[in-house]
């Protein structure tokens, strides 16, 4: 297999990791005003993702860096063409991270309510915009013969891409509800499980429409198989949630997102960013790639450091594996006194 194909697959894996992991903490952030009706419940929800959300974001940083190094033409065209949505995502992620750190700094309901709002919008905007961005990447955008994006911002807001945004939004909401049901106990757990079942059915309807549209437009045999498996995994996850099997339910949405993203990359290959212009030129794994020497160096680095990162992240999830309930939130936290090692 050529190194350009290897790195296309590795970048796909990085995006799978990002959406499958950060997807549930986006979902928890969006469900904060729904499942967290009083401060103790909101603290429980935030504590479920407190030890892992920043580690989950590392995946998108590595995916961006790998794209820059392995496919510089793809990176340049993508970031110049999608400048505004990517800027909005970046700002939302920064505000969300600041909100996690600052909401417990003062014992003031208004202060906390404002940071909770920042967590909600900082989770919702990326959840929608990532779907819009990937919808446009798969569908194709105006790229001329010089490999330059020649469209505007509103070219990105087409029906197919907006359906992609709605798909990631509903999938991440379902994934977040599954995660809350898995990580909590008591009334929050029961409410999250019931909500996950309802959200899962909506997500299944929206996702099937988006994936069928993708398959009809640009799909291959491989993408078709992956999309069917993704739909089955989502239905299995919803059924498991209905049967109060939270672990299997969360695994179902995790696998759904992984297979759906894999299917999008399979539908895209060998292009990395197709053109929608008759006289334009699509970016492919060949004409967008870095030199063979660069790819060889990157492959060596990835072989050494990827297992280390995976082991460290797995260890983090293992350490913080226990369920949480409102009984685990001490009065000191509600009074604005930050506990040692906590957010």
């Amino acid at each position: 297999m050529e190194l350009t194909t290897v790195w296309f697959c590795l970048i796909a894996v990085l995006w799978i990791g990002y959406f499958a992991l950060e997807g549930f903490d986006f979902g928890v952030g969006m469900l904060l005003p729904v499942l967290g009706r009083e401060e103790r419940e909101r603290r429980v929800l935030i504590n479920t993702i407190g030890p892992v959300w920043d580690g989950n974001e590392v995946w998108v940083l590595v995916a961006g860096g790998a794209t820059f190094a392995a496919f510089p033409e793809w990176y340049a065209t993508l970031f110049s063409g999608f400048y505004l949505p990517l800027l909005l995502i970046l700002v939302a992620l920064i505000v969300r991270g600041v909100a996690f750190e600052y909401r417990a700094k003062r014992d003031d309901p208004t202060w906390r309510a404002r940071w909770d709002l920042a967590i909600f919008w900082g989770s919702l905007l990326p959840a929608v915009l990532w779907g819009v961005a990937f919808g446009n990447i798969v569908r194709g955008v105006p790229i001329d013969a010089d490999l330059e994006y020649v469209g505007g911002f509103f070219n990105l807001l087409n029906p197919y891409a907006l359906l992609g945004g709605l798909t990631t939004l509903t999938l991440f909401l379902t994934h977040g509800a599954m995660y809350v049901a898995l990580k909590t106990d008591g009334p929050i757990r029961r409410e999250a499980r019931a909500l996950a079942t309802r959200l899962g059915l909506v997500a299944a309807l929206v996702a099937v429409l988006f994936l069928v549209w993708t398959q009809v437009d640009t799909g291959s045999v491989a993408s078709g198989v992956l999309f069917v498996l993704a739909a089955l995994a989502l239905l299995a996850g919803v059924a498991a949630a209905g049967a109060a099997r939270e672990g299997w339910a969360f695994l179902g949405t995790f696998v759904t997102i992984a297979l759906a993203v894999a299917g999008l990359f399979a539908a895209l290959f060998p292009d990395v960013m197709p053109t929608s212009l008759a006289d334009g030129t699509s970016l492919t794994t060949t004409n967008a790639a870095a030199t063979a020497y660069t790819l060889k160096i990157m492959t060596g680095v990835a072989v050494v450091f990827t297992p280390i990162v995976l082991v460290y992240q797995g260890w983090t999830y293992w350490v913080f594996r226990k369920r949480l309930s409102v009984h685990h939130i001490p009065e000191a936290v509600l009074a604005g006194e930050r506990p040692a090692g906590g957010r």
Side-chain angles (χ1 to χ4, degrees):
M1 183 183 291
E2 295 180 359
L3 281 179
T4 52
T5 304
V6 170
W7 273 98
F8 178 85
C9 294
L10 287 176
I11 288 171
V13 169
L14 290 170
W15 282 107
I16 288 170
Y18 176 63
F19 285 133
L21 292 173
E22 183 106 294
F24 72 73
D25 68 56
F26 282 151
V28 174
M30 290 186 283
L31 292 172
L32 194 62
V34 179
L35 294 174
R37 286 182 290 275
E38 51 97 13
E39 177 58 18
R40 279 187 186 276
E41 293 175 336
R42 288 191 287 275
R43 283 302 322 182
V44 169
L45 292 172
I46 291 172
N47 284 6
T48 61
I49 57 174
V52 297
W53 70 268
D54 42 4
N56 294 342
E57 285 193 354
V58 170
W59 288 78
V60 73
L61 299 177
V62 179
T67 305
F68 171 73
F71 300 103
E73 285 286 355
W74 184 13
Y75 183 91
T77 305
L78 177 66
F79 276 75
S80 60
F82 293 14
Y83 180 80
L84 184 55
L86 292 177
L87 177 65
L88 289 173
I89 289 173
L90 179 62
V91 171
L93 293 178
I94 291 173
V95 170
R96 180 170 174 267
V98 171
F100 283 133
E101 298 291 340
Y102 275 77
R103 76 176 298 280
K105 295 291 186 184
R106 289 173 55 185
D107 183 20
D108 180 351
T110 303
W111 170 272
R112 288 176 174 171
R114 288 173 179 170
W115 286 121
D116 288 345
L117 201 59
I119 292 172
F120 172 79
W121 286 106
S123 302
L124 187 144
L125 276 178
V128 174
L129 292 176
W130 279 128
V132 173
F134 269 79
N136 280 294
I137 290 172
V138 174
R139 174 178 176 264
V141 290
I143 300 173
D144 64 14
D146 296 323
L147 305 180
E148 297 288 341
Y149 177 80
V150 292
F153 173 72
F154 291 103
N155 289 90
L156 305 178
L157 303 180
N158 54 80
Y160 172 77
L162 292 174
L163 182 60
L166 189 59
T167 300
T168 49
L169 173 68
T170 54
L171 278 178
F172 291 169
L173 276 169
T174 306
H175 201 31
M178 298 284 194
Y179 182 76
V180 173
L182 177 65
K183 287 292 294 178
T184 61
D185 210 350
I188 297 179
R189 177 184 178 185
R190 292 191 292 273
E191 290 180 26
R193 195 168 58 217
L195 184 61
T197 305
R198 295 195 296 272
L199 286 171
L201 294 175
V202 176
L205 177 62
V206 175
V208 166
L209 287 174
F210 177 68
L211 296 181
V212 167
W213 194 341
T214 303
Q215 184 64 20
V216 170
D217 270 4
T218 60
S220 60
V221 174
S223 66
V225 171
L226 291 166
F227 290 157
V228 169
L229 292 175
L232 293 175
L234 181 55
L235 293 176
V238 172
R245 303 294 297 272
E246 290 100 348
W248 288 107
F250 178 71
L251 181 63
T253 50
F254 189 100
V255 172
T256 298
I257 293 171
L259 290 173
V261 177
L264 291 179
F265 274 89
L268 191 60
F269 185 80
D271 292 338
V272 293
M273 206 165 174
T275 182
S276 60
L277 300 178
D279 57 349
T281 302
S282 294
L283 288 165
T284 68
T285 53
T286 302
N287 66 12
T291 64
Y293 177 75
T294 301
L295 295 178
K296 285 180 182 176
I297 296 293
M298 290 177 61
T299 303
V301 173
V303 168
V304 173
F305 288 101
T306 302
I308 297 173
V309 173
L310 291 176
V311 168
Y312 175 76
Q313 193 155 25
W315 176 77
T316 304
Y317 277 89
W318 175 256
V319 169
F320 296 99
R321 66 188 181 280
K322 291 185 178 178
R323 291 181 183 271
L324 298 171
S325 74
V326 292
H327 305 297
H328 294 114
I329 307 299
E331 289 296 333
V333 172
L334 298 177
E337 299 172 20
R338 182 174 178 166
R343 281 194 168 90

